[in-house]
Amino acid sequence: MNEHAVVIAGGGPTGLMLAGELALAGIDVVIVERRANQDVDGSRAGGLHSRTIEVLDQRGIAERFLSAGQVHPALGFSQVALDISDFPTRHNYLLALWQSLFEPILADWVGELGVPILREREVVGFAQDDTGVDVELSDNTSLRAEYLVGCDGGRSLIRKAAGIDFAGLDPSTSWMIAEVEMDEEPEFGFRHDSVGTHAIGRREEGEPIRVVLTERHVEHTGDPSMDELREALIAVYGTDYGVHSANWISRFTDMSRQAASYRQGRVLLAGDAAHVHPPQGGQGLNTGVQDAVNLGWKLAQVVNKTSPESLLDSYHAERHPVGARVLHNTMAQVALARADDRHQALRDTMTELLGMDEPRRRIAAMLSALDIHYDLGEGHPLLGRRMPDLDLHTADGPKRVFTLLHDARPMLLNLAEPGGFDISLWADRVLAIDAEYGGDWELPVLGHVAAPAAVLIRPDGYVAWVGDGTDTGLRDALTTWFGSR
Ligand SMILES: Cc1cc2nc3c(=O)[nH]c(=O)nc-3n(C[C@H](O)[C@H](O)[C@H](O)COP(=O)(O)OP(=O)(O)OC[C@H]3O[C@@H](n4cnc5c(N)ncnc54)[C@H](O)[C@@H]3O)c2cc1C
């Protein structure tokens, strides 16, 4: 039986990101993936939000994705456009990039880091004991791991086999979605009727046409046929526009469910395995990638025995509320898109509200995940929030904060007198950087905040401690997050 520190079930966006994070920390990790290659069937995620691009930037790989996509200044909340070009981030836009392009780029990075992917195999079962997990594969082999992470999507076998409750709402609406060619020029754009919202679009001239149709009855069994697509088009538009040559036809629903626990002993869940919701607002892939970045360094430290197992509890404590909030806002977006007059009145009211500055900033910061605030206690507004990507002056010349995070190592950034902190006991774990920064400190939604004298930054880019000129609380924060000495 082959042994690894961590086995990841599923090599989609979440599993790939987690594997990269673990590999950066020197962990022996393997992915087990059902698909033969990284091809993505059908339409899935269409874009990356600001915080996801930031976490990729923290690893030095954002440019790979930026060069493959198109930048848009506005996000959509139930199709109400929210401009974010005034947001205090280098990535103040939505990056339009299909999941079918996103996954191969991420997989290349994971390949460069040397992570093996066992393809055309499935995890079919597991048994955990005090020291590890036996992971059973579909080819009748098995793996032994210290930890197993289920990144195996919404129908997660790992979640089901662990008996973790997946509570939430059954579907109330389903949508047919397809990528096709049409003989006649269709009516591009949105159409609203008594059934709901429908849309026909094409990103670029020469690309296939994408169709999304709200279905009259909730369907959630299997993919629709070409005949069903034709009938649905005629029901909405009075014509099928001579539709033909479908690359794929699929459907999705507004089912919203979340795992009651993201961890059961040595088994963890991340991404769609932990939360499913409709695609309104485009947050699923983004949330999964960020789950992975929260979990990766923690799991690495537990495997490396620099931190106790209890550090893993902070993964559920921090990411479960984020997932719950995503479910909540997608439910609101589905409700707002309902077709009757009362919902239209609600939609008009919301559109007016979102045209105002403060509501726009709040809702857009939530969708882009720039406003995430992990509850690390009372203190400076930066505590538990993302560290901004400041332009620093260091002894080695100008450096961006995110550049210093490329190796996914924690960092004490001292912005006061050089050499003001002695963290030599943690020298093998935590980078100590003396730097100067004379600019503004501006956070999304909160605006300007007081300049701190020092900050302790976790590998995921969130601030674990803020110094006021003394080292009060620093030892405790170092011990909590990066282990005792
Ligand atoms: C129509 C539509 C539009 C969407 N639009 C957006 C959007 O705009 N923005 C956004 O952020 N998200 C969007 N999403 C959601 C996004 O596609 C998912 O959230 C994302 O793919 C989740 O990634 P994941 O890695 O967690 O799971 P998945 O992508 O489902 O990956 C799971 C992987 O596990 C593998 N697997 C499953 N079971 C096993 C097993 N037992 N053993 C081994 N391997 C296994 C699968 O083959 C797969 O590769 C959309 C989804 C849909 C359906």
Side-chain angles (χ1 to χ4, degrees):
M1 186 190 300
N2 279 327
E3 294 196 14
H4 298 275
V6 179
V7 170
I8 297 174
T14 308
L16 290 171
M17 192 71 211
L18 179 62
E21 293 291 289
L22 289 166
L24 276 177
I27 300 298
D28 169 17
V29 53
V30 64
I31 296 176
V32 182
E33 167 55 47
R34 173 190 291 157
R35 286 179 286 164
N37 52 44
Q38 216 58 53
D39 289 353
V40 176
D41 283 344
S43 164
R44 300 195 72 183
L48 300 183
H49 283 299
S50 302
R51 184 57 190 153
T52 308
I53 307 169
E54 284 195 345
V55 303
L56 297 168
D57 204 358
Q58 288 175 178
R59 298 299 176 256
I61 54 173
E63 200 46 52
R64 303 181 186 199
F65 300 91
L66 293 175
S67 59
Q70 297 90 37
V71 161
H72 295 277
L75 318 177
F77 182 79
S78 201
Q79 290 155 33
V80 180
L82 308 176
D83 193 304
I84 60 164
S85 51
D86 61 341
F87 273 24
T89 163
R90 286 183 208 274
H91 306 294
N92 51 351
Y93 44 76
L94 175 80
L95 182 72
L97 179 70
W98 294 119
Q99 187 163 341
S100 54
L101 295 173
F102 173 83
E103 286 198 23
I105 299 174
L106 195 60
D108 281 350
W109 175 62
V110 170
E112 288 161 24
L113 293 169
V115 177
I117 305 185
L118 307 181
R119 290 198 176 274
E120 295 182 88
R121 261 160 282 188
E122 289 180 29
V123 174
V124 292
F126 66 85
Q128 59 172 320
D129 54 48
D130 288 348
T131 58
V133 192
D134 289 324
V135 184
E136 217 185 305
L137 306 190
S138 50
D139 62 358
N140 290 324
T141 61
S142 57
L143 302 169
R144 174 82 179 164
E146 289 174 51
Y147 289 90
L148 169 65
V149 189
C151 299
D152 51 342
R155 300 195 175 103
S156 173
L157 173 128
I158 308 298
R159 185 190 67 234
K160 289 176 192 160
I164 295 173
D165 192 24
F166 203 40
L169 300 179
D170 285 333
S172 71
T173 309
S174 60
W175 289 266
M176 204 181 277
I177 183 165
E179 189 175 271
V180 292
E181 300 294 342
M182 287 175 168
D183 289 334
E184 299 157 33
E185 174 91 355
E187 172 191 316
F188 284 114
F190 292 103
R191 178 184 274 218
H192 305 275
D193 65 15
S194 60
V195 176
T197 303
H198 318 278
I200 302 182
R202 175 155 56 194
R203 259 192 195 165
E204 303 264 344
E205 201 50 49
E207 279 195 2
I209 294 169
R210 291 196 179 225
V211 180
V212 185
L213 304 171
T214 309
E215 297 189 274
R216 283 173 192 276
H217 307 287
V218 187
E219 300 282 352
H220 46 98
T221 47
D223 289 339
S225 64
M226 186 55 133
D227 282 344
E228 284 176 274
L229 177 64
R230 281 199 187 98
E231 279 168 32
L233 278 166
I234 291 167
V236 177
Y237 296 94
T239 165
D240 64 11
Y241 297 114
V243 64
H244 62 92
S245 308
N247 286 336
W248 42 262
I249 310 176
S250 181
R251 66 166 43 102
F252 61 91
T253 74
D254 62 347
M255 182 171 73
S256 302
R257 294 185 178 276
Q258 189 175 22
S261 173
Y262 282 18
R263 175 182 171 214
Q264 190 201 69
R266 294 178 169 275
V267 177
L268 296 121
L269 300 176
D272 276 18
H275 39 73
V276 293
H277 53 80
Q280 279 81 348
Q283 301 161 92
L285 176 149
N286 287 271
T287 309
V289 167
Q290 291 174 54
D291 286 347
V293 174
N294 184 287
L295 176 59
W297 64 276
K298 294 174 181 172
L299 188 52
Q301 288 182 188
V302 171
V303 167
N304 282 334
K305 304 205 171 12
T306 51
S307 289
E309 245 199 334
S310 57
L311 181 65
L312 294 177
D313 293 332
S314 71
Y315 167 60
H316 173 97
E318 292 180 350
R319 294 304 298 175
H320 192 275
V322 171
R325 199 173 66 146
V326 170
L327 261 65
H328 192 258
N329 83 53
T330 54
M331 283 180 219
Q333 292 185 68
V334 170
L336 273 182
R338 293 221 193 289
D340 59 275
D341 290 347
R342 290 184 176 88
H343 282 93
Q344 185 56 48
L346 178 61
R347 194 180 161 71
D348 293 343
T349 310
M350 275 300 288
T351 305
E352 192 176 336
L353 280 173
L354 289 171
M356 297 173 189
D357 203 43
E358 175 81 12
R360 169 189 66 86
R361 277 192 282 126
R362 280 187 183 231
I363 299 296
M366 175 174 65
L367 291 181
S368 57
L370 287 171
D371 69 343
I372 286 176
H373 182 205
Y374 298 136
D375 182 8
L376 306 191
E378 295 288 307
H380 190 282
L382 272 168
L383 189 63
R385 290 197 164 86
R386 75 186 240 298
M387 178 68 191
D389 185 22
L390 310 176
D391 287 308
L392 304 172
H393 298 283
T394 72
D396 297 330
K399 285 242 160 36
R400 286 167 51 192
V401 168
F402 285 5
T403 308
L404 294 165
L405 287 168
H406 283 183
D407 296 335
R409 286 189 65 192
M411 166 172 52
L412 177 66
L413 180 62
N414 172 30
L415 298 154
E417 276 301 294
F421 297 98
D422 177 12
I423 60 160
S424 48
L425 286 176
W426 281 269
D428 58 336
R429 301 180 191 170
V430 181
L431 277 176
I433 304 284
D434 289 323
E436 286 176 21
Y437 173 69
D440 255 358
W441 287 78
E442 190 187 354
L443 300 185
V445 184
L446 296 187
H448 296 278
V449 298
V455 279
L456 181 64
I457 308 167
R458 310 190 318 190
D460 57 359
Y462 288 83
V463 175
W465 172 84
V466 183
D468 57 4
T470 71
D471 65 358
T472 309
L474 178 58
R475 270 187 96 85
D476 286 350
L478 285 163
T479 305
T480 301
W481 295 109
F482 311 120
S484 60
R485 298 311 322 210

